[in-house]
Amino acid sequence: VPRLMASLVILAVGLILANVAWRAVLLTTVNAGWRFGRALSGGLYALLVTVTIAMALEHLGVARAIVVVAFAIAFGALMLAGAIAFGIAGGPILRRVIEDRLAERGQPRPDGSSHI
């Protein structure tokens, strides 16, 4: 019974904090004029509710392995998505940086120390 009560308290506090964070992010992004403020605040709310539920289940001792594996898979998927997005978006920028460096390398330096 004490674990159940503590889990309910964790769930209640987590949901209250998720609601506060959702409203704060929504107000901030709308006032800043961001186009995707609602999506960002909704995603944050869903993430916080998910973490809160996982914490409550972990405290209860229900499905510990499932919670750990689910978070490992979700975190791995987020990291893979971020790496792919960074690779696709960063390709042209990196290409431009490399071309600029190679162009600088071919020109002699003004102080005559091109051999260094």
Side-chain angles (χ1 to χ4, degrees), residues 10-20 45 48-49 52-53:
I10 289 171
L11 191 62
V13 170
L15 291 177
I16 290 169
L17 290 177
N19 196 17
V20 169
Y45 181 78
L48 291 177
V49 167
T52 300
I53 292 171

Side-chain angles (χ1 to χ4, degrees), residues 18-32 34 36-45 48:
N19 196 17
V20 169
W22 170 70
R23 287 180 188 261
V25 170
L26 181 63
L27 286 173
T28 303
T29 55
V30 167
N31 288 337
W34 288 13
F36 300 106
R38 289 188 186 272
L40 180 67
S41 62
L44 176 69
Y45 181 78
L48 291 177

Side-chain angles (χ1 to χ4, degrees), residues 84-102:
I84 290 171
F86 182 75
I88 290 172
I93 296 169
L94 186 60
R95 183 179 305 119
R96 193 173 330 127
V97 168
I98 291 172
E99 288 173 354
D100 291 344
R101 295 255 174 125
L102 289 176

